[in-house]
Amino acid sequence: MTIIHQPATLLDFIYKQKAQGLSVGFIPTMGALHEGHIELVKTASANCDVTVCSIFVNPTQFNDQADFRKYPNRLENDIRMLAGSGTDVLFLPPVEAMYPEGLDGLEKYDLGYLETILEGKYRPGHFQGVSQVMARLLKAAEPDKLFMGQKDYQQCMVVKKLISILGMGIEFITCPTVRETDGLAMSSRNLRLDAAERERAPGIYKTLQFINDNISPGNIESLKKEAFAQLEQMGFRVDYVEIADAGTLEPISNWNGQQKLAALIAAFNGEVRLIDNLLIAP
Ligand code: AMP
């Protein structure tokens, strides 16, 4: 595995691969890697000739500076995991290489409705930050295929929109959420949970399953309230429980029983904010 630090060096490497007719798969991450990330790498390796993974904790996407400061850093372990998983290149840029112009007055993207709901509403500026870093990463890696996790459902939609804004012909591949055996969605933030919080944490997935098992046309609003109350009872501080159209993320209150839906939850477990979602089959 080659480690590259500068965007221009990465792009040069990518052009050389493409000149040989090789396809490039890209997996952006913020490190503190777990099996969820490694599944993305494996899917990319199986689908592309060259697999590029990035680790970059992007300062512009943290609306909460404490969350940024406390973001886990396990670089040595990450490098070991990537080297054993089929990654050809690890892109590990310093902040100055990604934002040579500094962090103030950065460009803004018109993300429309997506930016005003759910994560967009509770984390103002978050998706602008995601777009700013993804634009830079995609321009440095020029991948044929981009692999991201369903765990961050709204982020997938934002990045798809960004790709069309940038006019880049990149195929977007959404990979299923990898879970612990008790259902907890794997997340780098899980490392910050203490023993009691870790025990509580699968309650989010259990509540998503409760929604999936009990949903019917006509009970959406009451089901959301019930799910919210369940989470509070377990000790979570809930930002939202939403049931939305799986294609647009528009919240729905009347379901025809046919429309594909996604149930989405964001809740604080102690100081750690966790998100998860589940697609509901019609
Ligand atoms: P992060 O390092 O949290 O920014 O995540 C990097 C990529 O890994 C994103 O595309 C995430 O959606 C994806 N990811 C994070 N957790 C999981 C998981 N449990 N299963 C599948 N993909 C995940």
mmCIF file of all heavy atoms in Angstrom, residues 36-69:
data_model
loop_
_atom_site.group_PDB
_atom_site.id
_atom_site.type_symbol
_atom_site.label_atom_id
_atom_site.label_comp_id
_atom_site.label_asym_id
_atom_site.label_seq_id
_atom_site.Cartn_x
_atom_site.Cartn_y
_atom_site.Cartn_z
ATOM 1 N N GLY A 36 -17.118 -1.759 9.062
ATOM 2 C CA GLY A 36 -17.977 -1.071 8.080
ATOM 3 C C GLY A 36 -17.133 -0.443 6.984
ATOM 4 O O GLY A 36 -17.407 -0.588 5.784
ATOM 5 N N HIS A 37 -16.067 0.250 7.390
ATOM 6 C CA HIS A 37 -15.159 0.852 6.402
ATOM 7 C C HIS A 37 -14.508 -0.232 5.540
ATOM 8 O O HIS A 37 -14.378 -0.084 4.332
ATOM 9 C CB HIS A 37 -14.042 1.636 7.112
ATOM 10 C CG HIS A 37 -14.509 2.825 7.910
ATOM 11 N ND1 HIS A 37 -14.388 2.885 9.273
ATOM 12 C CD2 HIS A 37 -15.064 3.998 7.530
ATOM 13 C CE1 HIS A 37 -14.850 4.046 9.709
ATOM 14 N NE2 HIS A 37 -15.280 4.741 8.678
ATOM 15 N N ILE A 38 -14.085 -1.312 6.214
ATOM 16 C CA ILE A 38 -13.348 -2.361 5.490
ATOM 17 C C ILE A 38 -14.249 -3.053 4.461
ATOM 18 O O ILE A 38 -13.790 -3.427 3.381
ATOM 19 C CB ILE A 38 -12.731 -3.377 6.494
ATOM 20 C CG1 ILE A 38 -11.731 -2.649 7.415
ATOM 21 C CG2 ILE A 38 -12.053 -4.541 5.778
ATOM 22 C CD1 ILE A 38 -10.631 -1.855 6.704
ATOM 23 N N GLU A 39 -15.548 -3.160 4.777
ATOM 24 C CA GLU A 39 -16.482 -3.710 3.785
ATOM 25 C C GLU A 39 -16.525 -2.819 2.536
ATOM 26 O O GLU A 39 -16.626 -3.307 1.414
ATOM 27 C CB GLU A 39 -17.898 -3.844 4.373
ATOM 28 C CG GLU A 39 -18.133 -5.136 5.111
ATOM 29 C CD GLU A 39 -17.815 -6.380 4.289
ATOM 30 O OE1 GLU A 39 -18.312 -6.504 3.155
ATOM 31 O OE2 GLU A 39 -17.035 -7.218 4.768
ATOM 32 N N LEU A 40 -16.479 -1.497 2.747
ATOM 33 C CA LEU A 40 -16.459 -0.576 1.592
ATOM 34 C C LEU A 40 -15.208 -0.838 0.751
ATOM 35 O O LEU A 40 -15.262 -0.878 -0.477
ATOM 36 C CB LEU A 40 -16.466 0.893 2.041
ATOM 37 C CG LEU A 40 -17.639 1.452 2.851
ATOM 38 C CD1 LEU A 40 -17.486 2.954 3.035
ATOM 39 C CD2 LEU A 40 -18.958 1.173 2.191
ATOM 40 N N VAL A 41 -14.075 -1.003 1.432
ATOM 41 C CA VAL A 41 -12.810 -1.262 0.724
ATOM 42 C C VAL A 41 -12.901 -2.566 -0.068
ATOM 43 O O VAL A 41 -12.509 -2.628 -1.241
ATOM 44 C CB VAL A 41 -11.628 -1.326 1.723
ATOM 45 C CG1 VAL A 41 -10.355 -1.801 1.030
ATOM 46 C CG2 VAL A 41 -11.396 0.029 2.380
ATOM 47 N N LYS A 42 -13.450 -3.588 0.571
ATOM 48 C CA LYS A 42 -13.542 -4.896 -0.113
ATOM 49 C C LYS A 42 -14.457 -4.808 -1.336
ATOM 50 O O LYS A 42 -14.163 -5.378 -2.385
ATOM 51 C CB LYS A 42 -14.058 -5.961 0.854
ATOM 52 C CG LYS A 42 -13.007 -6.375 1.880
ATOM 53 C CD LYS A 42 -13.548 -7.477 2.778
ATOM 54 C CE LYS A 42 -12.533 -7.843 3.852
ATOM 55 N NZ LYS A 42 -13.167 -8.540 4.986
ATOM 56 N N THR A 43 -15.570 -4.082 -1.192
ATOM 57 C CA THR A 43 -16.484 -3.926 -2.333
ATOM 58 C C THR A 43 -15.781 -3.167 -3.455
ATOM 59 O O THR A 43 -15.902 -3.521 -4.630
ATOM 60 C CB THR A 43 -17.765 -3.165 -1.899
ATOM 61 O OG1 THR A 43 -18.285 -3.801 -0.743
ATOM 62 C CG2 THR A 43 -18.814 -3.162 -2.988
ATOM 63 N N ALA A 44 -15.031 -2.130 -3.089
ATOM 64 C CA ALA A 44 -14.303 -1.359 -4.108
ATOM 65 C C ALA A 44 -13.260 -2.241 -4.795
ATOM 66 O O ALA A 44 -13.164 -2.242 -6.030
ATOM 67 C CB ALA A 44 -13.639 -0.141 -3.460
ATOM 68 N N SER A 45 -12.517 -3.011 -4.015
ATOM 69 C CA SER A 45 -11.471 -3.872 -4.601
ATOM 70 C C SER A 45 -12.079 -4.889 -5.554
ATOM 71 O O SER A 45 -11.470 -5.233 -6.569
ATOM 72 C CB SER A 45 -10.713 -4.665 -3.541
ATOM 73 O OG SER A 45 -10.249 -3.832 -2.552
ATOM 74 N N ALA A 46 -13.281 -5.384 -5.198
ATOM 75 C CA ALA A 46 -13.909 -6.394 -6.053
ATOM 76 C C ALA A 46 -14.435 -5.771 -7.349
ATOM 77 O O ALA A 46 -14.639 -6.482 -8.330
ATOM 78 C CB ALA A 46 -15.051 -7.071 -5.295
ATOM 79 N N ASN A 47 -14.672 -4.461 -7.331
ATOM 80 C CA ASN A 47 -15.304 -3.806 -8.488
ATOM 81 C C ASN A 47 -14.370 -2.929 -9.302
ATOM 82 O O ASN A 47 -14.779 -2.431 -10.359
ATOM 83 C CB ASN A 47 -16.488 -2.954 -8.011
ATOM 84 C CG ASN A 47 -17.688 -3.809 -7.661
ATOM 85 O OD1 ASN A 47 -18.393 -4.258 -8.547
ATOM 86 N ND2 ASN A 47 -17.878 -4.079 -6.385
ATOM 87 N N CYS A 48 -13.168 -2.657 -8.793
ATOM 88 C CA CYS A 48 -12.269 -1.725 -9.476
ATOM 89 C C CYS A 48 -10.857 -2.303 -9.488
ATOM 90 O O CYS A 48 -10.505 -3.123 -8.647
ATOM 91 C CB CYS A 48 -12.241 -0.375 -8.754
ATOM 92 S SG CYS A 48 -13.854 0.391 -8.655
ATOM 93 N N ASP A 49 -10.033 -1.814 -10.422
ATOM 94 C CA ASP A 49 -8.646 -2.300 -10.499
ATOM 95 C C ASP A 49 -7.784 -1.689 -9.403
ATOM 96 O O ASP A 49 -6.898 -2.344 -8.868
ATOM 97 C CB ASP A 49 -8.043 -1.939 -11.866
ATOM 98 C CG ASP A 49 -8.855 -2.550 -13.008
ATOM 99 O OD1 ASP A 49 -9.149 -3.758 -12.915
ATOM 100 O OD2 ASP A 49 -9.200 -1.826 -13.949
ATOM 101 N N VAL A 50 -8.034 -0.411 -9.108
ATOM 102 C CA VAL A 50 -7.200 0.297 -8.129
ATOM 103 C C VAL A 50 -8.112 0.871 -7.042
ATOM 104 O O VAL A 50 -9.110 1.525 -7.342
ATOM 105 C CB VAL A 50 -6.420 1.461 -8.800
ATOM 106 C CG1 VAL A 50 -5.555 2.181 -7.789
ATOM 107 C CG2 VAL A 50 -5.584 0.947 -9.961
ATOM 108 N N THR A 51 -7.763 0.589 -5.782
ATOM 109 C CA THR A 51 -8.597 1.051 -4.665
ATOM 110 C C THR A 51 -7.853 2.128 -3.871
ATOM 111 O O THR A 51 -6.761 1.891 -3.359
ATOM 112 C CB THR A 51 -8.948 -0.136 -3.741
ATOM 113 O OG1 THR A 51 -9.660 -1.093 -4.524
ATOM 114 C CG2 THR A 51 -9.814 0.295 -2.588
ATOM 115 N N VAL A 52 -8.489 3.290 -3.802
ATOM 116 C CA VAL A 52 -7.907 4.419 -3.073
ATOM 117 C C VAL A 52 -8.807 4.741 -1.888
ATOM 118 O O VAL A 52 -10.016 4.924 -2.055
ATOM 119 C CB VAL A 52 -7.796 5.670 -3.979
ATOM 120 C CG1 VAL A 52 -7.207 6.845 -3.204
ATOM 121 C CG2 VAL A 52 -6.972 5.365 -5.221
ATOM 122 N N CYS A 53 -8.204 4.787 -0.709
ATOM 123 C CA CYS A 53 -8.964 5.129 0.494
ATOM 124 C C CYS A 53 -8.359 6.403 1.071
ATOM 125 O O CYS A 53 -7.129 6.567 1.046
ATOM 126 C CB CYS A 53 -8.832 3.973 1.476
ATOM 127 S SG CYS A 53 -9.761 4.211 2.972
ATOM 128 N N SER A 54 -9.190 7.320 1.547
ATOM 129 C CA SER A 54 -8.625 8.508 2.199
ATOM 130 C C SER A 54 -8.984 8.503 3.671
ATOM 131 O O SER A 54 -10.040 7.995 4.075
ATOM 132 C CB SER A 54 -9.129 9.801 1.540
ATOM 133 O OG SER A 54 -10.516 9.930 1.734
ATOM 134 N N ILE A 55 -8.078 9.053 4.473
ATOM 135 C CA ILE A 55 -8.375 9.347 5.878
ATOM 136 C C ILE A 55 -8.120 10.826 6.065
ATOM 137 O O ILE A 55 -6.993 11.310 5.876
ATOM 138 C CB ILE A 55 -7.481 8.537 6.841
ATOM 139 C CG1 ILE A 55 -7.760 7.033 6.696
ATOM 140 C CG2 ILE A 55 -7.720 8.987 8.287
ATOM 141 C CD1 ILE A 55 -6.927 6.153 7.620
ATOM 142 N N PHE A 56 -9.185 11.546 6.396
ATOM 143 C CA PHE A 56 -9.046 12.990 6.607
ATOM 144 C C PHE A 56 -10.183 13.429 7.510
ATOM 145 O O PHE A 56 -11.361 13.304 7.146
ATOM 146 C CB PHE A 56 -9.104 13.744 5.276
ATOM 147 C CG PHE A 56 -8.976 15.240 5.425
ATOM 148 C CD1 PHE A 56 -7.785 15.803 5.876
ATOM 149 C CD2 PHE A 56 -10.040 16.076 5.129
ATOM 150 C CE1 PHE A 56 -7.658 17.185 6.027
ATOM 151 C CE2 PHE A 56 -9.916 17.462 5.275
ATOM 152 C CZ PHE A 56 -8.724 18.006 5.716
ATOM 153 N N VAL A 57 -9.854 13.904 8.706
ATOM 154 C CA VAL A 57 -10.891 14.402 9.616
ATOM 155 C C VAL A 57 -11.115 15.859 9.225
ATOM 156 O O VAL A 57 -10.298 16.726 9.511
ATOM 157 C CB VAL A 57 -10.464 14.253 11.093
ATOM 158 C CG1 VAL A 57 -11.611 14.684 12.009
ATOM 159 C CG2 VAL A 57 -10.090 12.801 11.390
ATOM 160 N N ASN A 58 -12.228 16.062 8.518
ATOM 161 C CA ASN A 58 -12.477 17.351 7.864
ATOM 162 C C ASN A 58 -13.001 18.396 8.848
ATOM 163 O O ASN A 58 -14.134 18.283 9.315
ATOM 164 C CB ASN A 58 -13.499 17.128 6.747
ATOM 165 C CG ASN A 58 -13.940 18.430 6.131
ATOM 166 O OD1 ASN A 58 -13.138 19.347 5.950
ATOM 167 N ND2 ASN A 58 -15.224 18.510 5.794
ATOM 168 N N PRO A 59 -12.210 19.428 9.137
ATOM 169 C CA PRO A 59 -12.655 20.391 10.149
ATOM 170 C C PRO A 59 -13.913 21.160 9.755
ATOM 171 O O PRO A 59 -14.668 21.572 10.628
ATOM 172 C CB PRO A 59 -11.462 21.363 10.281
ATOM 173 C CG PRO A 59 -10.625 21.145 9.070
ATOM 174 C CD PRO A 59 -10.890 19.757 8.582
ATOM 175 N N THR A 60 -14.170 21.301 8.452
ATOM 176 C CA THR A 60 -15.289 22.185 8.057
ATOM 177 C C THR A 60 -16.658 21.526 8.199
ATOM 178 O O THR A 60 -17.668 22.197 8.039
ATOM 179 C CB THR A 60 -15.112 22.710 6.604
ATOM 180 O OG1 THR A 60 -15.389 21.646 5.680
ATOM 181 C CG2 THR A 60 -13.719 23.245 6.366
ATOM 182 N N GLN A 61 -16.707 20.227 8.482
ATOM 183 C CA GLN A 61 -18.026 19.597 8.577
ATOM 184 C C GLN A 61 -18.495 19.400 10.014
ATOM 185 O O GLN A 61 -19.563 18.856 10.252
ATOM 186 C CB GLN A 61 -18.047 18.271 7.825
ATOM 187 C CG GLN A 61 -17.320 17.134 8.513
ATOM 188 C CD GLN A 61 -17.260 15.913 7.611
ATOM 189 O OE1 GLN A 61 -16.624 15.934 6.563
ATOM 190 N NE2 GLN A 61 -17.950 14.854 7.999
ATOM 191 N N PHE A 62 -17.680 19.861 10.990
ATOM 192 C CA PHE A 62 -18.068 19.731 12.396
ATOM 193 C C PHE A 62 -18.732 21.018 12.854
ATOM 194 O O PHE A 62 -18.061 22.047 12.985
ATOM 195 C CB PHE A 62 -16.850 19.429 13.265
ATOM 196 C CG PHE A 62 -16.341 18.024 13.110
ATOM 197 C CD1 PHE A 62 -15.485 17.700 12.079
ATOM 198 C CD2 PHE A 62 -16.738 17.024 13.993
ATOM 199 C CE1 PHE A 62 -15.019 16.392 11.922
ATOM 200 C CE2 PHE A 62 -16.279 15.716 13.837
ATOM 201 C CZ PHE A 62 -15.421 15.405 12.806
ATOM 202 N N ASN A 63 -20.043 20.955 13.089
ATOM 203 C CA ASN A 63 -20.717 22.134 13.647
ATOM 204 C C ASN A 63 -20.428 22.237 15.141
ATOM 205 O O ASN A 63 -20.550 23.307 15.728
ATOM 206 C CB ASN A 63 -22.227 22.083 13.382
ATOM 207 C CG ASN A 63 -22.841 20.785 13.847
ATOM 208 O OD1 ASN A 63 -22.310 19.721 13.582
ATOM 209 N ND2 ASN A 63 -23.937 20.871 14.556
ATOM 210 N N ASP A 64 -19.993 21.106 15.743
ATOM 211 C CA ASP A 64 -19.680 21.089 17.170
ATOM 212 C C ASP A 64 -18.168 20.880 17.322
ATOM 213 O O ASP A 64 -17.646 19.807 17.017
ATOM 214 C CB ASP A 64 -20.484 19.955 17.814
ATOM 215 C CG ASP A 64 -20.144 19.740 19.281
ATOM 216 O OD1 ASP A 64 -19.266 20.462 19.815
ATOM 217 O OD2 ASP A 64 -20.752 18.841 19.893
ATOM 218 N N GLN A 65 -17.456 21.914 17.769
ATOM 219 C CA GLN A 65 -15.994 21.850 17.828
ATOM 220 C C GLN A 65 -15.498 20.800 18.824
ATOM 221 O O GLN A 65 -14.440 20.208 18.636
ATOM 222 C CB GLN A 65 -15.403 23.230 18.138
ATOM 223 C CG GLN A 65 -15.388 24.159 16.926
ATOM 224 C CD GLN A 65 -14.797 23.499 15.670
ATOM 225 O OE1 GLN A 65 -13.655 23.070 15.663
ATOM 226 N NE2 GLN A 65 -15.600 23.384 14.608
ATOM 227 N N ALA A 66 -16.296 20.540 19.885
ATOM 228 C CA ALA A 66 -15.902 19.502 20.857
ATOM 229 C C ALA A 66 -15.906 18.142 20.170
ATOM 230 O O ALA A 66 -15.028 17.300 20.408
ATOM 231 C CB ALA A 66 -16.856 19.503 22.045
ATOM 232 N N ASP A 67 -16.885 17.927 19.303
ATOM 233 C CA ASP A 67 -16.980 16.668 18.551
ATOM 234 C C ASP A 67 -15.745 16.506 17.664
ATOM 235 O O ASP A 67 -15.173 15.415 17.558
ATOM 236 C CB ASP A 67 -18.269 16.712 17.703
ATOM 237 C CG ASP A 67 -18.612 15.366 17.068
ATOM 238 O OD1 ASP A 67 -18.234 14.327 17.641
ATOM 239 O OD2 ASP A 67 -19.246 15.363 16.001
ATOM 240 N N PHE A 68 -15.306 17.597 17.057
ATOM 241 C CA PHE A 68 -14.095 17.575 16.210
ATOM 242 C C PHE A 68 -12.856 17.231 17.041
ATOM 243 O O PHE A 68 -12.082 16.342 16.695
ATOM 244 C CB PHE A 68 -13.938 18.935 15.519
ATOM 245 C CG PHE A 68 -12.680 19.061 14.691
ATOM 246 C CD1 PHE A 68 -12.362 18.108 13.736
ATOM 247 C CD2 PHE A 68 -11.815 20.137 14.868
ATOM 248 C CE1 PHE A 68 -11.203 18.216 12.969
ATOM 249 C CE2 PHE A 68 -10.660 20.252 14.110
ATOM 250 C CZ PHE A 68 -10.350 19.287 13.161
ATOM 251 N N ARG A 69 -12.718 17.926 18.185
ATOM 252 C CA ARG A 69 -11.532 17.705 19.035
ATOM 253 C C ARG A 69 -11.472 16.272 19.538
ATOM 254 O O ARG A 69 -10.402 15.695 19.683
ATOM 255 C CB ARG A 69 -11.560 18.669 20.231
ATOM 256 C CG ARG A 69 -11.006 20.061 19.927
ATOM 257 C CD ARG A 69 -10.687 20.808 21.220
ATOM 258 N NE ARG A 69 -11.774 20.768 22.185
ATOM 259 C CZ ARG A 69 -12.821 21.593 22.182
ATOM 260 N NH1 ARG A 69 -12.922 22.534 21.272
ATOM 261 N NH2 ARG A 69 -13.765 21.492 23.089
#
